[in-house]
């Protein structure tokens, strides 16, 4: 018997199809296909709640395309994207003044 995951939103009984991950250091929310397994700091969302997702002022939402034919990116892909966003947000070291 297969147990499907439900949307993380309170009182929503719809099946989850997307996973939301936050990169707090970069004020970025990453929304991608449902992760292969449950992560403690991620949120599984149904299609309706994923579509309506908004971020606080000053935050960016990165939406990964859902590729239902191949299963889309897994949790490792989402983690790699979050790390890439974090790296891109880091400022380069200041150059020494002559």
């Amino acid at each position: 018997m297969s147990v499907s995951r439900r949307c993380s939103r309170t009182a929503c009984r719809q099946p989850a199809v997307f996973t939301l991950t936050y990169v707090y250091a970069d004020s970025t929310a990453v929304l991608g296909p449902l992760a292969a397994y449950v992560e403690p700091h991620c949120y599984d969302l149904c299609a309706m709640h994923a579509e309506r997702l908004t971020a606080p002022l000053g935050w960016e939402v990165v939406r990964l395309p859902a590729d239902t034919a191949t299963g889309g990116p897994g949790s490792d892909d989402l983690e790699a994207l979050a790390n890439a966003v974090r790296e891109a947000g880091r400022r380069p070291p200041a150059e020494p003044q002559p």
Side-chain angles (χ1 to χ4, degrees):
M1 180 172 140
S2 173
V3 177
S4 66
R5 295 181 350 221
R6 300 267 180 215
C7 182
S8 297
R9 296 292 304 254
T10 304
C12 183
R13 311 265 308 148
Q14 296 300 313
V17 291
F18 294 96
T19 296
L20 173 65
T21 305
Y22 290 105
V23 182
Y24 292 98
D26 298 323
S27 301
T28 304
V30 180
L31 183 66
L34 188 63
Y37 52 92
V38 178
E39 294 285 339
H41 300 289
C42 296
Y43 301 91
D44 295 334
L45 299 176
C46 65
M48 181 186 72
H49 285 118
E51 182 180 318
R52 294 181 179 180
L53 177 72
T54 60
L57 187 62
W59 279 62
E60 180 181 2
V61 177
V62 175
R63 294 177 188 267
L64 299 177
D67 185 4
T68 55
T70 63
S75 61
D76 290 341
D77 296 325
L78 291 175
E79 185 176 345
L81 178 63
N83 289 334
V85 169
R86 188 177 301 116
E87 280 296 318
R90 290 189 179 142
R91 296 181 184 191
E95 293 183 23
Q97 297 293 330

